[in-house]
Each structure stands twice: as C-alpha cells, then as structure tokens.
Amino acid sequence: MLLCPCLVIFLRVALSSFHGSLSAAYNALLDFGPANFFLLYAPRPDFKVTLGYGAWILLQVALYQFLPSKLNTGQLTPAGNLLKYRTNGLLAWIITHVLFLTLAVFGFLDPAILARHWEPLLVTANIAGFLLTGLAYAKAHLSPTHEKDRKFSGSIMYDLYMGIELNPRIGKYFDFKLFTNGRPGIVAWTLIDFSFIAYQYQTHGYITKSILVSTILHTIYVVDFFINEDWYLRTIDICHDHFGFYLAWGSLVWLPAIYTLQNQYLASNPIVWSNFQAAAILLTGIGGYILFRSVNHQKDLVRRTKGICNLWGAPAKVLRVKYQTNDGLEHNSLLLFSGWWGLARHVNYLGDLILSYSMCATCGFTHLLPWTYAIFMTILLIHRCWRDEERCSKKYGKGWEEYCKRVRWVIVPGIY
C-alpha cells in the first residue's frame, strides 16, 4: 500500500524533473537514497488545490445522486442479493465537460489549470485514497450494507488492501464502488487530457496530432464506458472485487495518474507524426475498440436471449451449466463458445490491449514511461484472466472443464 503511491510519485518525478527518463530518475534515486530523493523531488500539497479537489468530489456526488437516472440491476451476489444501481454517468460526464469548457471559453478558468496544478492534485488524491480505504474498512466492521457478502481473510493488511464489503452503500442507491470506480477518476480522465492539450499549446504554441490522437482514443474509451454503464455492472470489478485500497485508491489515484500519462508526456515532449502515421495509430486503436465492443455485444446478446440467437450467421453455441450461491439455491448459466468467444475464453481483452497499445504508440519509442499504461493493462488483464479462470473453475466445476476443452485459447488465438 505504501509502494503504490511511491511508484506514482516516482513516475511523475521522472516526467517532470528528468524529461521522462526512467533510467535517469532511477539513477538519481540510487545516488540520493529513497528518503532524500523524495524529499527533494516529491510534489507538495497545496491548500487551495485540496479545497478544489473536495469541491470536485462533492460535484460528482451531487451529479451521481440527483441527476435523472435509470435503475439497472447488477448480477446476483454470492449471498443472493440482487442490487439496483443509478447509471447516469454519461449525463454527468456531459454536464461536467460542458461546465469546464464554458468556464474556459469565457475566461473564468484557465483550461490548463489541472496540468499546472497536477503535482499537488496527486498529493491530495493520494490522501483521499487512503481516507476512503480507512472509511471502507471501518464501515465493513461497524455498519455493513450486506453482512453475508462480506469476506474476511484473517489478515488486517489484506482486508484493507482487497476490501471486506462487496457492495458498501449509504442509503438505498449510493453505491461506493460504482461511484468511486466510475465517476471521479473516469470523468476526470478526459478533463485531464484537455487540460494537458491546453498546456501544450500555452507552452509550445501549437497542438500536435499525437496528443489529439491520444485524446480521441481516450475519449472513445470513456464515452463507451458511460454509454454501456449498465454493462459495467456485470464485470469483475462490480460482481467479484470487494471494496478496499485496490479499488478505492486505484480509482482515485492510479486511474487519473497513469491512464493520462500519454498526454502528460506529450504536453511537455511533443511528438510530431505525419498524417499517415497519426491515421495509422488512430485506426489501429479504433479497430481494437470495435473488436472490444463486438465481442462484448455477442455475450450480452446471448445473455439477453438466453442463447436463442445467431452469431456470424449461425445459431449461437452455448454450454448450459449450473452453480450454487451461498444461500444454497441453484442457478443456471450459459457459457458461449461460438462467434468471437469460440476463438478464446477472454478474447474481449484482446481488443482492450490493442486499444491500450495504440494510445501509448502516440508517444513514440524514445522513453518507456508513457508506455506504463499498456504494460499495466497487459499485467492487469492476464492476472484478471487467472483470477477469472480460478473463480469459474470453482463456480462451474466440470462444466468449466468441458468449456475449456471446447475453447482452448485464453486471450490470443494460437498464442495464449
């Protein structure tokens, strides 16, 4: 838990003080020693920035809670709870960006404000991530929302890190996990991008195609997330991960700090691509997105029709399996093994990876730092595959074994 903030700060120091060179920053770390290095280079907090961050969180809470919203149902929890969620993220994203752009256009706000105050924002976000982790841990013990959906490991540190409660809530619909995962960080993602575009223009007097392509790909990802927010309710984040430091700090700090690294890098280190090069990167990224969306559309179609549908002009092939929840009740499920899902068991991650690497390709190949996001996504998705495989094996038993025989590959057909 202490290593994660240090890594984020180290990456920022490498970018701001060592021109994006990880090796130069690492050598300085060795020369000065960790304590002196961070004392010398680490960002400092700022009271006004902290107030601004608090106002940002309150704004997103208000939009989440009071904007008109559909109520979508998540998946059945292990204890048999079927929860409803407010999914008004797209409207919240639009209102937030219209407000930001309006204030900037009329001169009430410097569009580069986030970029210019980025370092104290990182400090404040880290503090918020730890405070939210402590709040989630205390709530799980003192006032749990669904007691039977809690998970205790016997280790205080593990419970702090991975969480105890599955769906901590205040009131009927304010869900800590969906709000934290899907609002402050993801809504801010594109705002941060726009702010670093403004910073590049103010610093260098021009805007590069590379930072525009990066921002377009980021925006596609973010807008798609909110358009399909109800789909997110059926992902591993919401259905299986408990709410602790991993999600709380990860959503408030890691996501906005690491997912925007390409624009942070390009704002200070402009990369000039030809029209052909920029178009090739953009189209590759869009191709990855189309694959990602097509794959998930097939799964949703099969789920909605209970397997009675066509994929690629042929009837969908599904394996019908059973599983039990903790309350002892038996339920039916479908495992799809045709269409995209006949090629690999987690082929949806392939499109995600193509998109991720395209985002990072906008930064060129001079430094490794802006590729941190793609490297992280590779590790995250492979690890997620392992977790999902283990969970499904326990959940479906012999049904999962049969499914694995029919679909041999994990992510990339013919390779892995």
Side-chain angles (χ1 to χ4, degrees), residues 5 21 33 51 65 69 97 124 137 160 172 175 189 196 206 265 267 269 292 294 345 347 360 382:
S21 173
L51 289 179
Q65 193 69 3
S69 177
H97 284 67
T124 303
Y137 183 82
L160 274 168
K172 190 173 183 180
D175 188 89
W189 184 350
F196 275 99
Y206 57 87
Y265 178 84
N269 306 274
F292 170 80
S294 174
R345 300 193 292 276
V347 71
C360 296
I382 291 176

Side-chain angles (χ1 to χ4, degrees), residues 160-223:
L160 274 168
Y161 188 83
M162 292 305 298
I164 297 172
E165 280 198 270
L166 182 60
N167 300 104
R169 292 188 167 200
I170 292 179
K172 190 173 183 180
Y173 295 122
F174 189 85
D175 188 89
F176 274 83
K177 192 197 291 186
L178 180 60
F179 172 77
T180 307
N181 290 13
R183 296 309 166 81
I186 294 187
V187 172
W189 184 350
T190 39
L191 281 185
I192 295 165
D193 279 351
F194 297 155
S195 189
F196 275 99
I197 290 175
Y199 182 79
Q200 185 189 70
Y201 180 77
Q202 293 175 5
T203 304
H204 301 283
Y206 57 87
I207 297 173
T208 60
K209 289 186 284 289
S210 54
I211 202 169
L212 292 177
V213 169
S214 171
T215 302
I216 290 169
L217 294 178
H218 289 172
T219 304
I220 289 172
Y221 189 97
V222 170
V223 172

Side-chain angles (χ1 to χ4, degrees), residues 262-341:
Q262 300 92 55
N263 280 40
Q264 293 178 49
Y265 178 84
L266 292 168
S268 300
N269 306 274
I271 301 292
V272 178
W273 294 114
S274 68
N275 290 336
F276 174 79
Q277 290 168 323
I281 295 171
L282 178 62
L283 291 175
T284 301
I286 292 175
Y289 163 74
I290 292 172
L291 173 60
F292 170 80
R293 180 48 49 211
S294 174
V295 169
N296 284 301
H297 170 72
Q298 287 188 352
K299 178 184 277 190
D300 285 342
L301 178 63
V302 168
R303 182 181 284 117
R304 290 197 310 269
T305 62
K306 301 186 185 303
I308 311 301
C309 61
N310 286 347
L311 300 179
W312 294 351
K317 297 178 181 179
V318 296
L319 192 63
R320 299 183 184 275
V321 294
K322 297 181 182 295
Y323 67 96
Q324 280 190 343
T325 47
N326 292 343
D327 54 13
L329 296 178
E330 190 172 73
H331 305 272
N332 297 312
S333 189
L334 302 175
L335 298 176
L336 174 62
F337 63 95
S338 64
W340 289 114
W341 296 92

